[in-house]
Amino acid sequence: MDDDIIGAYAMLLLLKKKRNLQKKRKRLWSRQWLQRRREESVAFRLLRELEVEDPATLRQWMRLDRQQYLDLLRLVTPLIEKQDTNMRQAVTAEERLTLTLRYLATGESYRSLSCQFRISHNLISSIIPTVCKAIYKVLQSSFVHLPTTTEEWQKVAGRGESTETRIFNYRLSRARRTTENAFGILTARFQVFKQPIRTTPENVQDITLAAVALHNYLTEKSKDTYIPQGFTDREDIENGRLHQGQMHQHAHAAIEDLHPVGRGHTNEAKQVRELLKGYFNNEGQVHWQAQMAQLH
């Protein structure tokens, strides 16, 4: 009886071992395509072809031209490169950057990118945030600058009109138009923002900062192709009309549009405008703060 029990137990162990071995073989077999990454992925085949045969399409594919790409790769490589091991070949810095740029440009799912780049989607989920952090780190000091002084904020507001009210209304309109244009360009060029970003809030922050840094970089380095004439909205101040730019021909963005508001103003709004007019016409920040305190 005991021998029968031992025999049955041994048979169960053998069957379990055989089943596990079959699962392992199936898993290895199903992932063989990943191992042909350096021969078949878009990073090693399509991009090489586009680089030689169609540079314009290459720029559209990852939003940077070849020289810009090489410059950025040189900057981020020390922060993102990994070394090969005896067990496997590491995903190169070039693959990591290309993958991330493609993600920002299209917002494709990790599984879709996995098939294109022959990199597991689990690894992709760690590559993209890391590279986004690196992009922002190397570009931030030169291309992402927030105003910190009164003079810098006044420079953002634009000067020189004849009447105070006209100046203020123009600046207020220009601020809104500039903001809407910036978001419009960003979502048209980096379509990751045209749909929900399915990752953690921390990763969303890294993705957004990287896209903003790239946006500013491309605005400065290749404005004629990145923001061609007529691409953004233009406001006719004299007639109060907004002429829409070509960016609206792209698919609707996930960022909600600002809806039109009525032209009527409350007395409180008019009072605030009068105070802001004085501030923006050099009455001084101390005086402005004193006046604002009167509203509370």
Side-chain angles (χ1 to χ4, degrees), residues 124-282:
I124 287 176
S125 68
S126 67
I127 287 176
I128 289 176
T130 300
V131 177
C132 283
K133 287 180 181 178
I135 290 173
Y136 182 71
K137 184 173 183 178
V138 300
L139 295 182
Q140 184 268 334
S141 61
S142 299
F143 299 100
V144 183
H145 176 68
L146 296 177
T148 57
T149 66
T150 300
E151 292 73 18
E152 289 177 341
W153 280 113
Q154 288 176 340
K155 184 177 180 181
V156 172
R159 307 182 66 83
E161 293 288 340
S162 57
T163 66
E164 292 182 349
T165 301
R166 189 183 183 90
I167 291 173
F168 176 77
N169 288 341
Y170 171 75
R171 287 176 181 151
L172 189 63
S173 175
R174 182 171 184 258
R176 172 171 174 163
R177 175 169 51 83
T178 300
T179 301
E180 291 179 341
N181 276 339
F183 277 111
I185 297 166
L186 192 70
T187 55
R189 297 310 191 195
F190 298 100
Q191 299 186 20
V192 65
F193 299 113
K194 291 186 178 240
Q195 56 194 329
I197 303 177
R198 296 178 176 86
T199 186
T200 65
E202 293 78 11
N203 288 346
V204 171
Q205 176 176 301
D206 293 330
I207 289 167
T208 302
L209 290 174
V212 168
L214 287 169
H215 166 82
N216 291 347
Y217 171 78
L218 291 170
T219 298
E220 180 173 320
K221 296 294 185 180
S222 54
K223 187 172 183 178
D224 290 343
T225 54
Y226 184 67
I227 314 176
Q229 186 174 5
F231 190 74
T232 59
D233 293 344
R234 178 178 58 84
E235 187 167 9
D236 185 341
I237 301 299
E238 294 293 334
N239 300 316
R241 295 180 180 177
L242 182 68
H243 302 280
Q244 289 194 337
Q246 298 171 4
M247 65 184 181
H248 295 286
Q249 298 175 7
H250 294 259
H252 180 71
I255 296 178
E256 184 179 359
D257 288 337
L258 294 178
H259 299 291
V261 296
R263 291 292 181 181
H265 307 292
T266 65
N267 289 331
E268 184 178 1
K270 292 179 180 178
Q271 185 180 8
V272 171
R273 182 181 68 181
E274 293 302 313
L275 296 178
L276 288 172
K277 284 194 315 183
Y279 174 67
F280 280 117
N281 283 279
N282 290 325

Side-chain angles (χ1 to χ4, degrees), residues 16 23 51 87-88 90 113 164 168 181 185 248 283:
K16 185 177 180 180
K23 288 182 179 179
E51 181 181 342
M87 298 295 296
R88 66 182 62 185
L113 293 169
E164 292 182 349
F168 176 77
N181 276 339
I185 297 166
H248 295 286
E283 289 187 11

